[in-house]
Every structure is written in C-alpha cells, then in structure tokens.
Amino acid sequence: MGLTYRSAGVDRDAADENAAWIFREIPKTFDARVISNPEGFAGLFALKGKGPLLAKRYRDPVLVSGTDGVGTKLKLAFAAGKHDTIGIDLVAMSVNDVLTVGAEPLFFLDYIATGRLPTIPIRDVLSGIIEGCRQAPCALLGGETAEMPGFYPDGEYDLAGFAVGVVERDRALLGKDIRPGDLVLGLSSTGLHSNGFSLARRALLEEAKMRLDATLPEYRKTLGEVLLTPTRIYSKAVHDLLRHYPRRSLLKAMANVTGSGIPGNLVRVLPEGIGVRISRSAWIPPPIFERIQKAGGISDREMFDTFNMGIGYLLVLAPRAADISLDRLRRAGIPSWILGQTVKGERSVAID
C-alpha cells in the first residue's frame, strides 16, 4: 500500500470534524451584517446596516485593519496546559489596535498552525477566540487551521489574528487635534496582557526558579493563572465614550499599550511639537510587575519600556472631558487614572 496523507502526518478526518464544530459555533458571533456562506472559501460582511456599538449607518466609511499574535505567552499556555483563554488574547491584540482610531470592530479572522492537529486542544483555543469576538463584539468571519507535520513539535501551535473595523472618515482619531494641556488617561490592564513574556519567563521561571503552580498570596491564584489572565478588550467602554463625546475635539487620540510600554506606544499618536509628562505616582502597578522586576534585577527604565505596568490603554482628551470619562470607565468596570498631560516641546514621553 502506498503513502497516504494520514501516513505523512495530516489527519483529514480530524480537520473535517473540527471544521464541522466551528461552523456550528461561530454564528454565535454574527450580527445581521454577516452574509451566510457556510463552508465557503471567503467570508462576506455588509457595510450597510447598524452595528452593535455605534448603532448607526456610515456616511463616508473608512475600513481599518490590524493584525497581531500573542507572542511567547503561548509557551506558558503549553507549560500550564491551559488553552481556553489564549484566544481572547488573540482577538484583543488586533481589536484594541483597530480601536485606537475610533473604529468599530466588524470582523475577525484567525490562523492556527500546528504540527499534528490531534495533539492540540483546538476547541479550547477556538472557544477563546469566539469568546473574544463576543466581548469585542465582532464577527468571527473565517479562519484557517494549518496542519504541518514536522514543522511544529507535537502539542504546540502558533496563532495569528486579523481584525477589520470601520470609522467615519471625519471621525477618525489621528492625534492632529492634540494641544498642550490636554490630559492623558490610563485605563487599567488585567496584567501583562500579551507583551513582555520573554523577559517575564526569563526572570520568573529561569532566574527565580518559580513554578507555574506556585500560589501568589497577593492574588490567591497560581503564578500560571496570573500570567495567563487574558488581555482586556476595551472597545465597548471606549465606544460608550465616543457616543457621549461625538465631537472629535474632546477625545483626541488613543493608544494601545503593547510592546514598548507606555512611552513607546503613546509617542506614536503625538503630533510634532507635543510631548507628554507622566507622573509615576498617578497609579500603583499590580504586584506581578514588582515580582518580575525583583526576580530579574530589572531597571525601572527597562520595566516601563517592556511592560504595560498596569496600564493597557491610553486616551488623550480635553481637560473638560476627563471627569465624566473617568466616571464612565469606572462604571464599566475599568479603573482609570489621569496619568499626566501634554506639553509643548519635543515629541517624546517622560515618566517622572
């Protein structure tokens, strides 16, 4: 008997079974703008129609796209044997980027690559992606699961995500209206989100020899549970503010705090001639960051240039919009603080 695809390492039966399951589950993320194309080669989404966040029709729509992965946080999921939240991280990383210009997330696509499909908990991963899309909210419009024998070790996989959103052309937040004296609001993160894990793993697991099942008294959770806490998705809370402040002159720019921390991400939305001064005393970072810093003997500068330090998202807005914004964010369950303000000068971010 000659070779077959199965003997080469690809299990088409497992792939078909997985596809049938996902076709049953993803409609939970759909709204009326998704055009049914079951088992088709492409997903269809209508721009006409009302969305769940802004509930309006667009006059001059601009499509907004973003793509990302979850980095070496996957290594912790493999080690801990916990895969049901990593998909939330995948959705959050792209949706939070798309959100920074004020876009409503429309749909999401995923790419999952593995060596042998039966060796990974694919439905746990996909369940997390579906949950992330429900939190956004956006439609899980399609995806790809690639089985590549010999390319990945058994039990491991890689993820990539792709989000598309829409914003009115004249409502896009591009930072052009930022002026000296505007305030910077910091929205709390749920932890590390999906950045800095190469350094965190080195400090905690290699230098400090900590175990993922070790209990952290300050959290009453294990180290693995704390590190794998999924990334917060900010779109519902931010769009609540956009509805409250329809004029762009009040909410001027937003930044997703990913790799490069607060300084490296906030500077990206600043116009020339505008800098920001952040007060280090404006908030207290969650204790996991202190543990990482002590375990690795890491400098303050390196910590702020690598991790979000408890701030997952940033808003730049007019001073008169600050109090109501803080109140609405806190009522949405997102503790937030005034971190600093914009100043005339070099396009940079200083944390004092």
Side-chain angles (χ1 to χ4, degrees):
M1 183 177 178
L3 289 174
T4 65
Y5 215 5
R6 181 188 291 272
S7 68
V10 177
D11 189 336
R12 285 185 296 198
D13 291 338
D16 290 344
E17 183 180 345
N18 172 64
W21 181 85
I22 193 66
F23 288 141
R24 293 194 301 269
E25 294 295 313
I26 62 172
K28 296 176 181 178
T29 70
F30 291 175
D31 64 26
R33 294 173 294 178
V34 176
I35 299 171
S36 179
N37 183 28
E39 302 189 44
F41 290 93
L44 287 77
F45 194 97
L47 281 179
K48 289 186 177 180
K50 295 180 179 180
L53 292 180
L54 294 183
K56 60 171 287 184
R57 298 180 185 273
Y58 290 87
R59 296 175 289 100
D60 187 11
V62 175
L63 292 178
V64 183
S65 64
T67 183
D68 211 335
V70 296
T72 58
K73 190 171 187 176
L74 281 173
K75 285 287 189 183
L76 291 176
F78 302 155
K82 181 174 172 57
H83 304 269
D84 58 340
T85 59
I86 202 74
I88 300 175
D89 290 294
L90 184 68
V91 176
M93 294 300 287
S94 291
V95 164
N96 286 343
D97 278 351
V98 165
L99 178 64
T100 58
V101 295
E104 174 192 5
L106 297 177
F107 57 85
F108 185 81
L109 306 172
D110 67 80
Y111 175 78
I112 305 172
T114 188
R116 291 197 305 128
L117 193 56
T119 69
I120 67 169
I122 185 66
R123 293 189 187 180
D124 285 351
V125 177
L126 287 167
S127 292
I129 294 173
I130 290 169
E131 174 58 26
C133 288
R134 294 174 70 175
Q135 290 182 22
C138 63
L140 179 55
L141 198 58
E144 169 70 6
T145 302
E147 193 173 12
M148 299 186 288
F151 201 85
Y152 295 93
D154 282 358
E156 295 193 2
Y157 55 89
D158 198 9
L159 301 175
F162 313 86
V164 173
V166 63
V167 67
E168 288 282 10
R169 183 186 295 269
D170 63 0
R171 294 288 310 282
L173 301 179
L174 303 177
K176 297 178 181 179
D177 299 321
I178 296 176
R179 300 290 183 269
D182 288 332
L183 297 181
V184 177
L185 265 60
L187 283 61
S188 61
S189 69
T190 54
L192 274 67
H193 283 183
S194 295
N195 296 99
F197 277 89
S198 295
L199 181 55
R201 287 169 47 241
R202 175 69 181 273
L204 296 171
L205 305 184
E206 297 182 27
E207 297 295 324
K209 307 297 183 185
M210 292 187 69
R211 293 170 52 92
L212 291 178
D213 60 1
T215 298
L216 303 187
E218 63 269 38
Y219 286 97
R220 296 183 180 178
K221 295 180 179 179
T222 66
L223 175 62
E225 289 172 327
V226 171
L227 293 177
L228 287 172
T229 301
T231 305
R232 173 170 276 150
I233 298 175
Y234 295 94
S235 47
K236 287 183 179 178
V238 167
H239 275 282
D240 176 66
L241 294 181
L242 290 172
R243 285 192 299 270
H244 191 76
Y245 292 122
R247 290 195 294 121
R248 187 177 62 185
S249 59
L250 295 177
L251 182 54
K252 302 184 178 185
M254 300 186 284
N256 186 20
V257 184
T258 56
S260 301
I262 294 172
N265 287 284
L266 183 55
V267 74
R268 296 166 63 180
V269 303
L270 299 177
E272 290 296 332
I274 297 291
V276 170
R277 289 185 176 173
I278 299 292
S279 172
R280 175 64 186 79
S281 61
W283 82 104
I284 300 174
I288 187 61
F289 295 102
E290 183 179 2
R291 278 189 174 270
I292 293 169
Q293 185 169 18
K294 287 184 176 179
I298 304 168
S299 69
D300 287 348
R301 175 68 181 269
E302 185 69 17
M303 290 294 295
F304 276 91
D305 284 347
T306 303
F307 300 103
N308 66 54
M309 300 302 287
I311 302 296
Y313 205 78
L314 298 163
L315 308 180
V316 182
L317 40 67
R320 63 192 176 101
D323 287 343
I324 187 65
S325 297
L326 287 170
D327 180 63
R328 296 181 82 92
L329 289 166
R330 288 168 181 161
R331 280 192 283 156
I334 304 177
S336 304
W337 306 272
I338 297 173
L339 304 186
Q341 67 177 12
T342 58
V343 295
K344 185 177 181 180
E346 182 184 355
R347 184 173 173 263
S348 63
V349 177
I351 300 179
D352 303 317

